[in-house]
Amino acid sequence: MNANYQHSEITQLVIKAFYRVYNTLGFGFLEKVYENAMRLELDKTGLFCTAQQSIDVYYDGEKVGLYYADLIVNDCVIVELKAAAGLAPEHKAQLTNYLKATNIKVGLLLNFGQQLQHKRKVFANDRKNHF
């Protein structure tokens, strides 16, 4: 299977949940409100969702930090939530770094701003976990 299509059924369900949450709540809430609503909505779809899962970061074989992913769905898709005016390069870099630091290859960046935005990212190469 082409890596670009990996877990596409799951990401499509997550994006549908994203639209349902946004259509219900609108914009202007803090990210935590959207995170909680997404967890509820994803549970309704039958997807397994973990919030604020820690991700260890290594450099030269030594642990140097810790990230917390907003949501991990079915142990195979990282979902990073934003409530910003727009997606910025640092938001995309954050998702890429989460993907680099884990064995997860697929990520979604969802922005609950005034205009909805979502980006799907696949990071599946030999640089994973090799900081």
Side-chain angles (χ1 to χ4, degrees), residues 25-85:
L25 294 178
F27 77 99
F29 288 101
L30 296 174
E31 288 176 20
K32 190 64 174 175
V33 171
Y34 295 116
E35 178 185 306
N36 292 335
M38 284 293 295
R39 285 180 51 219
L40 290 172
E41 196 60 44
L42 292 170
D43 283 345
K44 290 180 192 176
T45 66
L47 296 173
F48 175 74
C49 184
T50 304
Q52 297 300 315
Q53 182 168 323
S54 62
I55 298 170
D56 293 332
V57 178
Y58 291 87
Y59 175 80
D60 199 22
E62 298 288 326
K63 183 177 173 182
V64 294
L66 189 66
Y67 276 123
Y68 291 92
D70 289 335
L71 301 171
I72 297 185
V73 180
N74 281 23
D75 294 322
C76 64
V77 176
I78 294 176
V79 179
E80 181 60 26
L81 304 174
K82 297 297 175 195

Side-chain angles (χ1 to χ4, degrees), residues 17-27 29 34 37 41 44:
F18 168 59
Y19 277 94
R20 283 193 296 272
V21 168
Y22 186 84
N23 288 335
T24 301
L25 294 178
F27 77 99
F29 288 101
Y34 295 116
E41 196 60 44
K44 290 180 192 176

